[in-house]
Amino acid sequence: MQGLLALSRGIDNVTEFIGKSVIWLIFLAILISAGNAIVRKVFNWSSNSLLEMQWYLFGASFLLASAYTLKSNEHIRIDIVYGMFSNRTRQRIDLFGHVFFLLPFVLLMTWLLVPYTWRAFDNGDISTNSGGLIIWPARFFLLAGFALLVVQAISEIIKKVAIMRGLMEDPHPFISAHEQAELEGAALAKEVAELEKLAAGDRK
Amino acid sequence: MIELIAQNMAPIMFVSLIAFLLLGYPVAFSLAANGLVFFAIGVWLAPYSGGTITLDWSLLGTMPARLFGVMSNETLLAIPFFTFMGIVLERSGMAEDLLDTVGQLFGPIRGGLAYAVIFVGALLAATTGVVAASVIAMGLISLPIMLRYGYDRRVASGVIAASGTLAQIIPPSLVLIVLADQLGRSVGDMYAGAIIPGLVLTGLYVLYILTVSILRPNWVPALPIEARTLGRGVTSLLVAIAAVIALGYGAHLWLYETQGANADILGATIGVIAIYIYALIDKTTGLNTMSRLAQQVIMVLIPPLALIFLVLGTIFLGIATPTEGGAMGAVGSLFLAAMKNRLNLTVIRQALTSTTRLSAFVMFILIGARMFSLTFYGVEGHKWVEHLLVGLPGGQTGFLIIVSVLVFLLAFFLDFFELAFIIVPLLIAPAEALGIDLIWFGIILAVNMQTSFMHPPFGFALFYLRSVAPRGSYVDKVTGIKTAGVTTGEIYWGAVPFVIIQVAMVGLVIAFPQMVMHYKGVVVDPSTVEITVPGFAPLAPGGAAGGGATLGAPNFGAPTLRAPSLGAPNLGAPVVNP
């Protein structure tokens, strides 16, 4: 079990690193999109490759971040019944879900995406829009996103078993979506107050 | 027996989806698993189904292309852009400044603080579009002032929660983007359709406060003299506004020669920029030709108005697609935060982290829904739903009422992303069969979903307010008087009148589709054109002379936001429906 937990920690570190890095791709997409709009209006020039680049970047970020979102337990649930169960039952539901809902789906998609990506790479397919981008990187992001979910699912299963055996603390004890909303609200209020203080300090 | 099951796969699948979702495992993967399990069962039972099941294993091979379709959807790109913009703005302190200033402006009249909350709520809705941000800012700034000067706690908390939810219905709301995408309509049309219902709803809130201030004046008292820190000076503000109009009109006349139709916007822009710069100089040099109130109002209101123009104005004028509008808004929000000294790397990183997290879970619900719909359509589920809903009594109206009730109830435990991705696609075919315009339908759904944000005891706006409203009694900072906190019961009761207003609003949108249908443009009806033109006449070149002559001229640039829909009905990006 210790070996498995070490594996799980390794997986978590990788997905966390990736998940925290890809946020900047969205920033890049924002800058490209805004720049594109301005350039098109002012210089009457636009490029399909820049248009496609925006969703390549967005796709890469949400797909590659999904494993980290899973690790942080932030894929939303409907907790109206779930919240009424005992902690033990909730752990069982999670384990059941990881094994029978999540893993089969992401495994199947990964398996289907390998030839799909390979075909585009092998043919050197290019977008049908004139001046469009080469296609395989976009397909590769899909593949990589699902592959990361497969390994993250394995890590989650290991952790869930360890939690149920009492070998580790639950890193994400259950709180309902409404309690979560209250916590987020309070955190935001605090943050805005701190920024206000900083800004006031700067003005002095 | 096995034939019976095979021929009724759609209802069985739908009921089991509810069970899958209620189990509480993340929605995205429960949806996908439900699709996958029933895909396997469907393939196995296909021979017994008498042709109602059209699934075979090779169909699974289409999933990668379906996933690619989700990824390459340009409309949904607007989600991260507007989310980022909202998160940066909520940290920029814009909401706080607006509430302070507008509260001072409206405070002296009875119910003034409540009007200020509604007004700022609508302004924030048109910029941040995040319910949490608006409610929290109002709960922190306006609620303590309202409590201090004796507002009824229920009215105070109700108006804050409700005004915060305006973010859901006033463009550039995420709900409208997602609904437009799922209904296969352009986001620009959805935005155009939502504007009037959004404003009418805002008006209904104002009407409610007005009624309260007449029937129960002590529930919504005016601010006492000592609380009006910005002092008097409304006259000065009115003079300033008159100056802007005169300047803008002058610039319009001057520019019309060279710029033609663009002169309206350029003229207005020049007027607004001029007064902003004047207020800035007036304040920094200590000249103080304007009252402090006027200075403050101008300097606080103009940046968000400029941002609204940058985003919605460019979308409605057809300069930018909604996605680009979102991106420009995001950049604009960075400028605004920087101007207020609130921008640093941590803020950007946090905003990006939250944006990515939201994008990941939203897009994966959509991915799960793609797997679900592959199977559900394969067992002819869409035909089952259509059959079920088209046969309802009452035709169009009956369908709309029943769908509204359904969405109202489902929204207790599904959030709007789940509703939009799972339920809405199933409603398209019956709606179209009944001849319902999908933009109109989308707006009705959006008002319903907005209601779910304030409906006790599940509405999220109520929880955001709870998080910042004082629970126990506290000593007021200004008066030093011990003040009781706000109970959860008071927050719930305060929301009730607004929920009733929402229900009335749904009824109004159903009864008066014209509120939405203007998005198609009104050029077809000559009588409408004649009615509209006099309203524009003051800005027409050469005053009255322009009126009759320009009626038919296609390049006559009308000065209001409504105008673009006359000439350019297809404002949004072409919709890619994966």
Side-chain angles (χ1 to χ4, degrees), chain B residues 139-194:
Chain B
L140 283 174
I141 306 282
S142 302
L143 187 63
I145 305 178
M146 290 166 135
L147 296 182
R148 182 178 306 148
Y149 298 112
Y151 263 63
D152 180 84
R153 278 138 214 285
R154 287 162 303 176
V155 174
S157 52
V159 78
I160 289 175
S163 303
T165 66
L166 285 175
Q168 295 285 312
I169 186 72
I170 293 180
S173 131
L174 290 189
V175 183
L176 297 173
I177 298 173
V178 173
L179 280 173
D181 174 65
Q182 291 297 304
L183 292 168
R185 288 293 180 270
S186 91
V187 179
D189 282 354
M190 195 60 102
Y191 280 179

Short mmCIF file of all heavy atoms in Angstrom, two decimals, chain B residues 139-194:
data_model
loop_
_atom_site.label_atom_id
_atom_site.label_comp_id
_atom_site.label_asym_id
_atom_site.label_seq_id
_atom_site.Cartn_x
_atom_site.Cartn_y
_atom_site.Cartn_z
N GLY B 139 -23.62 43.28 0.03
CA GLY B 139 -23.78 42.84 1.41
C GLY B 139 -22.78 43.51 2.33
O GLY B 139 -23.06 43.78 3.49
N LEU B 140 -21.58 43.78 1.79
CA LEU B 140 -20.54 44.39 2.61
C LEU B 140 -20.72 45.90 2.73
O LEU B 140 -20.46 46.48 3.77
CB LEU B 140 -19.15 44.11 2.02
CG LEU B 140 -18.61 42.71 2.25
CD1 LEU B 140 -17.32 42.52 1.49
CD2 LEU B 140 -18.38 42.48 3.74
N ILE B 141 -21.11 46.54 1.64
CA ILE B 141 -21.15 48.00 1.63
C ILE B 141 -22.54 48.52 2.01
O ILE B 141 -22.67 49.34 2.93
CB ILE B 141 -20.81 48.56 0.22
CG1 ILE B 141 -19.48 47.99 -0.25
CG2 ILE B 141 -20.81 50.08 0.22
CD1 ILE B 141 -18.28 48.61 0.35
N SER B 142 -23.57 48.04 1.30
CA SER B 142 -24.88 48.67 1.46
C SER B 142 -25.65 48.14 2.67
O SER B 142 -26.35 48.91 3.32
CB SER B 142 -25.72 48.45 0.20
OG SER B 142 -25.04 48.99 -0.90
N LEU B 143 -25.53 46.84 2.93
CA LEU B 143 -26.33 46.27 4.01
C LEU B 143 -26.07 46.96 5.36
O LEU B 143 -27.03 47.36 6.04
CB LEU B 143 -26.11 44.75 4.10
CG LEU B 143 -27.01 44.03 5.08
CD1 LEU B 143 -28.47 44.15 4.68
CD2 LEU B 143 -26.63 42.56 5.21
N PRO B 144 -24.79 47.15 5.77
CA PRO B 144 -24.57 47.81 7.06
C PRO B 144 -25.16 49.22 7.11
O PRO B 144 -25.71 49.62 8.14
CB PRO B 144 -23.04 47.88 7.17
CG PRO B 144 -22.54 46.85 6.24
CD PRO B 144 -23.54 46.74 5.14
N ILE B 145 -25.09 49.96 5.98
CA ILE B 145 -25.66 51.31 5.97
C ILE B 145 -27.18 51.23 6.12
O ILE B 145 -27.79 51.99 6.86
CB ILE B 145 -25.28 52.05 4.67
CG1 ILE B 145 -23.77 52.04 4.49
CG2 ILE B 145 -25.80 53.48 4.70
CD1 ILE B 145 -23.30 52.70 3.22
N MET B 146 -27.78 50.29 5.38
CA MET B 146 -29.23 50.15 5.47
C MET B 146 -29.66 49.80 6.88
O MET B 146 -30.64 50.33 7.41
CB MET B 146 -29.71 49.07 4.49
CG MET B 146 -29.60 49.48 3.03
SD MET B 146 -29.77 48.02 1.99
CE MET B 146 -30.87 48.62 0.75
N LEU B 147 -28.91 48.90 7.52
CA LEU B 147 -29.26 48.51 8.89
C LEU B 147 -29.07 49.69 9.84
O LEU B 147 -29.88 49.93 10.74
CB LEU B 147 -28.39 47.33 9.35
CG LEU B 147 -28.56 46.03 8.58
CD1 LEU B 147 -27.68 44.94 9.18
CD2 LEU B 147 -30.02 45.58 8.59
N ARG B 148 -27.99 50.45 9.59
CA ARG B 148 -27.66 51.58 10.47
C ARG B 148 -28.81 52.58 10.51
O ARG B 148 -29.16 53.10 11.56
CB ARG B 148 -26.39 52.25 9.96
CG ARG B 148 -25.90 53.42 10.80
CD ARG B 148 -24.60 53.98 10.23
NE ARG B 148 -23.59 52.93 10.08
CZ ARG B 148 -22.67 52.94 9.12
NH1 ARG B 148 -22.63 53.91 8.23
NH2 ARG B 148 -21.78 51.97 9.04
N TYR B 149 -29.41 52.86 9.34
CA TYR B 149 -30.43 53.90 9.29
C TYR B 149 -31.84 53.34 9.29
O TYR B 149 -32.78 54.01 8.85
CB TYR B 149 -30.16 54.84 8.12
CG TYR B 149 -28.82 55.52 8.30
CD1 TYR B 149 -27.75 55.23 7.47
CD2 TYR B 149 -28.61 56.39 9.37
CE1 TYR B 149 -26.51 55.80 7.68
CE2 TYR B 149 -27.37 56.95 9.60
CZ TYR B 149 -26.33 56.67 8.75
OH TYR B 149 -25.12 57.23 8.98
N GLY B 150 -31.98 52.10 9.76
CA GLY B 150 -33.31 51.61 10.09
C GLY B 150 -34.11 50.97 8.98
O GLY B 150 -35.34 50.92 9.05
N TYR B 151 -33.44 50.47 7.94
CA TYR B 151 -34.18 49.73 6.91
C TYR B 151 -34.75 48.45 7.51
O TYR B 151 -34.16 47.85 8.41
CB TYR B 151 -33.25 49.35 5.75
CG TYR B 151 -33.32 50.30 4.59
CD1 TYR B 151 -32.94 51.63 4.74
CD2 TYR B 151 -33.75 49.87 3.34
CE1 TYR B 151 -32.99 52.50 3.67
CE2 TYR B 151 -33.80 50.74 2.26
CZ TYR B 151 -33.42 52.06 2.43
OH TYR B 151 -33.47 52.92 1.39
N ASP B 152 -35.88 48.02 6.97
CA ASP B 152 -36.41 46.72 7.34
C ASP B 152 -35.43 45.66 6.85
O ASP B 152 -35.00 45.69 5.69
CB ASP B 152 -37.78 46.53 6.68
CG ASP B 152 -38.38 45.19 7.01
OD1 ASP B 152 -39.01 45.09 8.08
OD2 ASP B 152 -38.21 44.25 6.23
N ARG B 153 -35.08 44.72 7.73
CA ARG B 153 -34.04 43.74 7.37
C ARG B 153 -34.42 42.87 6.18
O ARG B 153 -33.58 42.49 5.38
CB ARG B 153 -33.77 42.82 8.55
CG ARG B 153 -32.86 43.39 9.55
CD ARG B 153 -33.31 43.11 10.97
NE ARG B 153 -32.92 44.28 11.74
CZ ARG B 153 -31.67 44.50 12.08
NH1 ARG B 153 -30.75 43.63 11.82
NH2 ARG B 153 -31.34 45.60 12.70
N ARG B 154 -35.71 42.54 6.10
CA ARG B 154 -36.15 41.67 5.00
C ARG B 154 -36.05 42.40 3.67
O ARG B 154 -35.55 41.87 2.68
CB ARG B 154 -37.58 41.19 5.25
CG ARG B 154 -37.68 40.16 6.33
CD ARG B 154 -39.10 40.04 6.82
NE ARG B 154 -39.58 41.35 7.30
CZ ARG B 154 -40.81 41.59 7.71
NH1 ARG B 154 -41.71 40.64 7.69
NH2 ARG B 154 -41.15 42.77 8.14
N VAL B 155 -36.51 43.66 3.67
CA VAL B 155 -36.43 44.42 2.42
C VAL B 155 -34.97 44.60 2.02
O VAL B 155 -34.59 44.41 0.85
CB VAL B 155 -37.11 45.80 2.57
CG1 VAL B 155 -36.91 46.63 1.32
CG2 VAL B 155 -38.58 45.63 2.85
N ALA B 156 -34.13 44.94 3.00
CA ALA B 156 -32.73 45.19 2.69
C ALA B 156 -32.06 43.95 2.11
O ALA B 156 -31.40 44.02 1.05
CB ALA B 156 -32.00 45.63 3.96
N SER B 157 -32.25 42.80 2.76
CA SER B 157 -31.55 41.61 2.26
C SER B 157 -32.19 41.11 0.96
O SER B 157 -31.49 40.65 0.07
CB SER B 157 -31.51 40.52 3.33
OG SER B 157 -32.79 40.27 3.83
N GLY B 158 -33.51 41.25 0.85
CA GLY B 158 -34.17 40.81 -0.38
C GLY B 158 -33.71 41.59 -1.59
O GLY B 158 -33.39 41.01 -2.64
N VAL B 159 -33.62 42.90 -1.45
CA VAL B 159 -33.26 43.71 -2.60
C VAL B 159 -31.81 43.44 -3.01
O VAL B 159 -31.46 43.45 -4.20
CB VAL B 159 -33.53 45.22 -2.33
CG1 VAL B 159 -32.48 45.86 -1.47
CG2 VAL B 159 -33.68 45.96 -3.64
N ILE B 160 -30.96 43.14 -2.03
CA ILE B 160 -29.56 42.86 -2.36
C ILE B 160 -29.45 41.53 -3.10
O ILE B 160 -28.81 41.44 -4.16
CB ILE B 160 -28.70 42.86 -1.08
CG1 ILE B 160 -28.56 44.28 -0.56
CG2 ILE B 160 -27.34 42.23 -1.34
CD1 ILE B 160 -27.84 44.39 0.75
N ALA B 161 -30.08 40.49 -2.56
CA ALA B 161 -29.99 39.18 -3.21
C ALA B 161 -30.57 39.23 -4.62
O ALA B 161 -29.96 38.75 -5.58
CB ALA B 161 -30.72 38.13 -2.38
N ALA B 162 -31.74 39.89 -4.76
CA ALA B 162 -32.39 39.92 -6.07
C ALA B 162 -31.58 40.74 -7.07
O ALA B 162 -31.37 40.31 -8.21
CB ALA B 162 -33.80 40.49 -5.94
N SER B 163 -31.09 41.91 -6.65
CA SER B 163 -30.32 42.74 -7.58
C SER B 163 -29.06 42.03 -8.03
O SER B 163 -28.62 42.20 -9.16
CB SER B 163 -29.96 44.08 -6.94
OG SER B 163 -31.12 44.73 -6.52
N GLY B 164 -28.48 41.23 -7.12
CA GLY B 164 -27.30 40.46 -7.50
C GLY B 164 -27.59 39.47 -8.61
O GLY B 164 -26.77 39.25 -9.49
N THR B 165 -28.78 38.88 -8.60
CA THR B 165 -29.09 37.88 -9.62
C THR B 165 -29.37 38.49 -10.99
O THR B 165 -29.46 37.76 -11.97
CB THR B 165 -30.32 37.02 -9.24
OG1 THR B 165 -31.47 37.86 -9.23
CG2 THR B 165 -30.15 36.38 -7.88
N LEU B 166 -29.49 39.81 -11.06
CA LEU B 166 -29.66 40.44 -12.38
C LEU B 166 -28.52 40.06 -13.31
O LEU B 166 -28.66 40.04 -14.52
CB LEU B 166 -29.74 41.97 -12.24
CG LEU B 166 -31.05 42.53 -11.69
CD1 LEU B 166 -30.94 44.03 -11.49
CD2 LEU B 166 -32.20 42.21 -12.64
N ALA B 167 -27.37 39.74 -12.70
CA ALA B 167 -26.21 39.32 -13.50
C ALA B 167 -26.53 38.12 -14.39
O ALA B 167 -25.88 37.89 -15.39
CB ALA B 167 -25.04 38.99 -12.58
N GLN B 168 -27.55 37.36 -14.01
CA GLN B 168 -27.89 36.17 -14.79
C GLN B 168 -28.68 36.49 -16.05
O GLN B 168 -28.68 35.72 -17.00
CB GLN B 168 -28.72 35.21 -13.94
CG GLN B 168 -27.97 34.65 -12.76
CD GLN B 168 -26.99 33.59 -13.20
OE1 GLN B 168 -27.32 32.70 -13.96
NE2 GLN B 168 -25.76 33.70 -12.74
N ILE B 169 -29.38 37.60 -16.04
CA ILE B 169 -30.29 37.85 -17.17
C ILE B 169 -29.81 39.01 -18.04
O ILE B 169 -30.09 39.05 -19.24
CB ILE B 169 -31.74 38.09 -16.65
CG1 ILE B 169 -32.74 38.21 -17.80
CG2 ILE B 169 -31.86 39.30 -15.75
CD1 ILE B 169 -33.02 36.93 -18.50
N ILE B 170 -29.06 39.95 -17.47
CA ILE B 170 -28.59 41.08 -18.27
C ILE B 170 -27.30 40.67 -18.97
O ILE B 170 -26.41 40.12 -18.34
CB ILE B 170 -28.38 42.31 -17.36
CG1 ILE B 170 -29.74 42.80 -16.83
CG2 ILE B 170 -27.66 43.42 -18.11
CD1 ILE B 170 -29.66 44.00 -15.92
N PRO B 171 -27.17 40.89 -20.29
CA PRO B 171 -25.94 40.55 -20.97
C PRO B 171 -24.76 41.23 -20.29
O PRO B 171 -24.95 42.31 -19.72
CB PRO B 171 -26.12 41.12 -22.38
CG PRO B 171 -27.58 41.37 -22.53
CD PRO B 171 -28.15 41.54 -21.16
N PRO B 172 -23.57 40.68 -20.30
CA PRO B 172 -23.09 39.48 -20.99
C PRO B 172 -23.12 38.22 -20.12
O PRO B 172 -22.10 37.60 -19.90
CB PRO B 172 -21.64 39.86 -21.29
CG PRO B 172 -21.25 40.70 -20.11
CD PRO B 172 -22.47 41.37 -19.61
N SER B 173 -24.28 37.85 -19.64
CA SER B 173 -24.36 36.73 -18.72
C SER B 173 -23.93 35.40 -19.35
O SER B 173 -24.18 35.13 -20.52
CB SER B 173 -25.80 36.64 -18.22
OG SER B 173 -26.29 35.36 -18.31
N LEU B 174 -23.29 34.56 -18.54
CA LEU B 174 -22.86 33.24 -19.02
C LEU B 174 -24.06 32.37 -19.38
O LEU B 174 -24.00 31.57 -20.32
CB LEU B 174 -22.05 32.50 -17.94
CG LEU B 174 -20.66 33.01 -17.60
CD1 LEU B 174 -19.97 32.02 -16.68
CD2 LEU B 174 -19.83 33.22 -18.84
N VAL B 175 -25.15 32.52 -18.62
CA VAL B 175 -26.36 31.73 -18.90
C VAL B 175 -26.79 31.92 -20.34
O VAL B 175 -27.13 30.97 -21.04
CB VAL B 175 -27.53 32.17 -17.99
CG1 VAL B 175 -28.74 31.30 -18.22
CG2 VAL B 175 -27.12 32.12 -16.54
N LEU B 176 -26.79 33.18 -20.77
CA LEU B 176 -27.26 33.48 -22.13
C LEU B 176 -26.32 32.88 -23.17
O LEU B 176 -26.77 32.40 -24.22
CB LEU B 176 -27.38 34.99 -22.32
CG LEU B 176 -28.41 35.68 -21.42
CD1 LEU B 176 -28.32 37.20 -21.56
CD2 LEU B 176 -29.81 35.21 -21.73
N ILE B 177 -25.02 32.87 -22.89
CA ILE B 177 -24.06 32.28 -23.83
C ILE B 177 -24.34 30.79 -23.97
O ILE B 177 -24.46 30.25 -25.08
CB ILE B 177 -22.61 32.48 -23.34
CG1 ILE B 177 -22.28 33.95 -23.25
CG2 ILE B 177 -21.63 31.76 -24.26
CD1 ILE B 177 -20.93 34.23 -22.62
N VAL B 178 -24.45 30.12 -22.82
CA VAL B 178 -24.65 28.67 -22.83
C VAL B 178 -25.98 28.31 -23.48
O VAL B 178 -26.05 27.38 -24.30
CB VAL B 178 -24.57 28.14 -21.38
CG1 VAL B 178 -24.95 26.68 -21.34
CG2 VAL B 178 -23.18 28.32 -20.82
N LEU B 179 -27.02 29.09 -23.17
CA LEU B 179 -28.32 28.81 -23.78
C LEU B 179 -28.28 29.03 -25.29
O LEU B 179 -28.82 28.22 -26.06
CB LEU B 179 -29.41 29.70 -23.15
CG LEU B 179 -29.94 29.24 -21.80
CD1 LEU B 179 -30.87 30.27 -21.21
CD2 LEU B 179 -30.66 27.90 -21.93
N ALA B 180 -27.64 30.12 -25.72
CA ALA B 180 -27.55 30.39 -27.16
C ALA B 180 -26.84 29.22 -27.84
O ALA B 180 -27.29 28.73 -28.88
CB ALA B 180 -26.79 31.69 -27.41
N ASP B 181 -25.76 28.76 -27.23
CA ASP B 181 -25.01 27.66 -27.83
C ASP B 181 -25.87 26.41 -27.93
O ASP B 181 -25.94 25.76 -28.98
CB ASP B 181 -23.77 27.37 -26.98
CG ASP B 181 -23.04 26.14 -27.47
OD1 ASP B 181 -22.54 26.20 -28.60
OD2 ASP B 181 -23.00 25.13 -26.74
N GLN B 182 -26.57 26.08 -26.85
CA GLN B 182 -27.35 24.84 -26.84
C GLN B 182 -28.59 24.94 -27.74
O GLN B 182 -29.03 23.95 -28.29
CB GLN B 182 -27.77 24.49 -25.41
CG GLN B 182 -26.61 24.05 -24.55
CD GLN B 182 -25.95 22.79 -25.07
OE1 GLN B 182 -26.59 21.77 -25.24
NE2 GLN B 182 -24.66 22.85 -25.35
N LEU B 183 -29.14 26.14 -27.86
CA LEU B 183 -30.32 26.29 -28.71
C LEU B 183 -29.94 26.51 -30.16
O LEU B 183 -30.81 26.60 -31.03
CB LEU B 183 -31.18 27.48 -28.22
CG LEU B 183 -31.86 27.28 -26.86
CD1 LEU B 183 -32.43 28.59 -26.35
CD2 LEU B 183 -32.98 26.25 -26.97
N GLY B 184 -28.64 26.60 -30.42
CA GLY B 184 -28.19 26.77 -31.79
C GLY B 184 -28.49 28.14 -32.36
O GLY B 184 -28.72 28.30 -33.55
N ARG B 185 -28.52 29.16 -31.50
CA ARG B 185 -28.74 30.53 -31.96
C ARG B 185 -27.50 31.36 -31.67
O ARG B 185 -26.62 30.95 -30.92
CB ARG B 185 -29.96 31.13 -31.24
CG ARG B 185 -31.28 30.55 -31.68
CD ARG B 185 -31.58 30.93 -33.13
NE ARG B 185 -32.84 30.41 -33.61
CZ ARG B 185 -33.00 29.21 -34.19
NH1 ARG B 185 -31.97 28.42 -34.36
NH2 ARG B 185 -34.20 28.82 -34.60
N SER B 186 -27.46 32.56 -32.26
CA SER B 186 -26.26 33.37 -32.05
C SER B 186 -26.35 34.08 -30.69
O SER B 186 -27.43 34.46 -30.25
CB SER B 186 -26.09 34.39 -33.17
OG SER B 186 -26.72 35.59 -32.84
N VAL B 187 -25.19 34.22 -30.06
CA VAL B 187 -25.14 34.87 -28.75
C VAL B 187 -25.58 36.33 -28.88
O VAL B 187 -26.26 36.86 -28.01
CB VAL B 187 -23.73 34.78 -28.15
CG1 VAL B 187 -23.67 35.48 -26.82
CG2 VAL B 187 -23.32 33.33 -27.98
N GLY B 188 -25.20 36.97 -30.00
CA GLY B 188 -25.58 38.37 -30.22
C GLY B 188 -27.09 38.53 -30.19
O GLY B 188 -27.61 39.45 -29.55
N ASP B 189 -27.82 37.63 -30.84
CA ASP B 189 -29.28 37.70 -30.84
C ASP B 189 -29.82 37.47 -29.43
O ASP B 189 -30.77 38.13 -29.00
CB ASP B 189 -29.88 36.63 -31.76
CG ASP B 189 -29.79 37.04 -33.22
OD1 ASP B 189 -29.38 38.19 -33.48
OD2 ASP B 189 -30.11 36.21 -34.10
N MET B 190 -29.22 36.53 -28.73
CA MET B 190 -29.68 36.22 -27.38
C MET B 190 -29.48 37.45 -26.48
O MET B 190 -30.36 37.79 -25.69
CB MET B 190 -28.89 35.02 -26.85
CG MET B 190 -29.48 34.37 -25.63
SD MET B 190 -31.14 33.71 -25.88
CE MET B 190 -30.87 32.01 -26.08
N TYR B 191 -28.35 38.12 -26.63
CA TYR B 191 -28.09 39.33 -25.86
C TYR B 191 -29.11 40.41 -26.20
O TYR B 191 -29.68 41.06 -25.32
CB TYR B 191 -26.68 39.86 -26.16
CG TYR B 191 -25.57 39.15 -25.43
CD1 TYR B 191 -24.24 39.51 -25.61
CD2 TYR B 191 -25.84 38.12 -24.53
CE1 TYR B 191 -23.21 38.88 -24.94
CE2 TYR B 191 -24.82 37.48 -23.86
CZ TYR B 191 -23.50 37.86 -24.07
OH TYR B 191 -22.49 37.24 -23.40
N ALA B 192 -29.33 40.61 -27.51
CA ALA B 192 -30.26 41.64 -27.94
C ALA B 192 -31.66 41.34 -27.38
O ALA B 192 -32.37 42.23 -26.91
CB ALA B 192 -30.30 41.73 -29.45
N GLY B 193 -32.03 40.05 -27.40
CA GLY B 193 -33.35 39.66 -26.90
C GLY B 193 -33.48 39.85 -25.39
O GLY B 193 -34.57 40.09 -24.88
N ALA B 194 -32.36 39.74 -24.67
CA ALA B 194 -32.42 39.78 -23.20
C ALA B 194 -32.48 41.19 -22.65
O ALA B 194 -32.87 41.40 -21.50
CB ALA B 194 -31.22 39.04 -22.61
#
